[in-house]
Amino acid sequence: MYATFGFVAICILVLPLIIDSIWVKVLTSAAIFTLAAYGVSLLYSHLGLVNLSQVALVGAGGWIMLRLNYAADFPFEVNLLISAVITAFIGMVLALPAIRMKGLYLALITLMIAGGFQIILSAIQFPNGGSGFFGVALQSPGEMRRPVIAESDTAYLRYSIVIVVFGIMLAAAHKFSRPGRAWAMIRKSEANAMAAGVNVTFYKLWCFTLSGFLAGTAGGLLAGALKILDAKSFPAGESILLFALAIVGGVGHWMGAVIAGFLYRVLPAIFNNIGIDADLSLVIFGAALLHAIMTAPNGIAGQISTLFQAWGRQNK
């Protein structure tokens, strides 16, 4: 627990002071996708369900956030909450036809949903200040408002980290409540869960909805960070990559989502910075996924946890 608070404090108080403006933006993006990765991990760790539409839902949350920014004079936080709630509802609706499936079939359905989202977003475009619900400004884009306390990039990085921490805490709290107990029973045996009176369909939808809520929050934060979004930023294949990195990071621990977000955004940026093609990171990701599947089922976070436990036993 102390290590967790120490890590968050360093990220909020120290890190923004020792990095330049470019890396502030990169780390803001990494923090935001940490929240999206945690949503993927939530479904897989609690129910064993594979969701390959998470990045598409991030795009949906970003679209709603931008539209609200230009269409309504609400505070940033209100727009963010509305974006998260609507995206959660979208995630729940999209989960309805796939809720009774698992494994390869569920993965294929959610991947097809992600592909459909990409086509829709490409057709209607992201809002950039145009009038009306689907309005798009052809000349100059409008202004994306940020929170009053986080107008600079450095302040917005801190703001994003705080929101991400609250989002992870909200999702993690479910583990110790009635939904968490229901998810544990469902993952162990759906038949036994139903015999015990657990509404399997309801709690699966609950998990999908919560995952969508996290994705929508991430999308809203991303809209505030970049101020303008493009459909090309949310291809269907990115959801596969995010899921793979969640496995590499470790789906059973919050640190696994942090590692996934770091790998997803920071490693390609490092390669670009030193003059190496960022696509090379995909080779590293593939090797890391193979390593996780073969020798580290709990991911990098699980290995780190094991090392700390061994170190603690040695120093007793």
Side-chain angles (χ1 to χ4, degrees):
M1 181 64 71
Y2 293 113
T4 300
F5 284 118
F7 175 80
V8 173
I10 290 173
C11 290
I12 294 176
L13 300 176
V14 180
L15 198 58
L17 301 177
I18 60 177
I19 56 178
D20 60 30
S21 59
I22 295 177
W23 289 105
V24 165
K25 295 179 180 178
V26 171
L27 288 180
T28 300
S29 181
I32 290 169
F33 276 97
T34 291
L35 195 59
Y38 194 82
V40 173
S41 300
L42 187 74
L43 275 166
Y44 190 71
S45 62
H46 288 297
L47 293 173
L49 299 178
V50 178
N51 178 16
L52 299 182
S53 62
Q54 190 75 345
V55 172
L57 290 176
V58 173
W63 193 98
I64 297 167
M65 185 69 177
L66 287 171
R67 185 69 274 159
L68 288 171
N69 175 74
Y70 302 123
D73 194 24
F74 298 143
F76 183 92
E77 291 77 12
V78 174
N79 288 344
L80 183 63
L81 181 59
I82 294 174
S83 301
V85 171
I86 295 177
T87 307
F89 178 76
I90 294 172
M92 181 191 70
V93 172
L94 295 177
L96 286 172
I99 203 67
R100 296 188 180 279
M101 299 182 182
K102 59 175 62 177
L104 178 61
Y105 295 106
L106 177 61
L108 288 174
I109 289 176
T110 54
L111 183 59
M112 290 175 65
I113 289 172
F117 256 118
Q118 184 180 354
I119 294 172
I120 293 172
L121 291 176
S122 297
I124 66 176
Q125 302 184 54
F126 275 89
N128 66 345
S131 61
F133 190 72
F134 294 103
V136 176
L138 299 179
Q139 301 299 323
S140 59
E143 180 184 359
M144 173 65 197
R145 300 186 303 274
R146 284 182 175 178
V148 177
I149 60 172
E151 293 183 346
S152 69
D153 289 340
T154 300
Y156 194 78
L157 170 58
R158 293 192 176 102
Y159 181 89
S160 297
I161 292 173
V162 171
I163 297 297
V164 169
V165 169
F166 276 111
I168 291 177
M169 289 175 62
L170 170 66
H174 282 68
K175 181 178 180 180
F176 307 102
S177 61
R178 186 171 182 177
R181 294 190 292 271
W183 292 337
M185 293 183 66
I186 294 170
R187 182 177 176 88
K188 188 174 182 180
S189 172
E190 288 191 19
N192 290 342
M194 293 176 65
V198 175
N199 189 330
V200 174
T201 300
F202 173 79
Y203 282 106
K204 281 186 176 182
L205 282 176
W206 188 321
C207 201
F208 266 102
T209 302
L210 182 58
S211 179
F213 183 87
L214 297 181
T217 304
L221 289 173
L222 190 64
L226 302 180
K227 299 187 176 182
I228 186 169
L229 300 176
D230 188 278
K232 295 179 181 179
S233 302
F234 306 98
E238 290 298 296
S239 292
I240 302 175
L241 178 58
L242 187 65
F243 175 77
L245 292 178
I247 298 296
V248 171
V251 296
H253 197 282
W254 65 268
M255 183 59 74
V258 175
I259 294 170
F262 181 91
L263 292 174
Y264 185 69
R265 279 296 188 239
V266 177
L267 187 60
I270 291 175
F271 282 175
N272 276 330
N273 192 52
I274 61 178
I276 298 176
D277 188 347
D279 288 341
L280 182 61
S281 61
L282 296 176
V283 178
I284 297 176
F285 295 158
L289 179 61
L290 184 63
H291 167 72
I293 293 174
M294 295 179 63
T295 63
N298 294 322
I300 297 174
Q303 291 180 311
I304 293 174
S305 178
T306 300
L307 288 174
F308 272 104
Q309 289 175 3
W311 179 80
R313 289 193 295 269
Q314 290 176 358
N315 287 273
K316 281 186 177 180

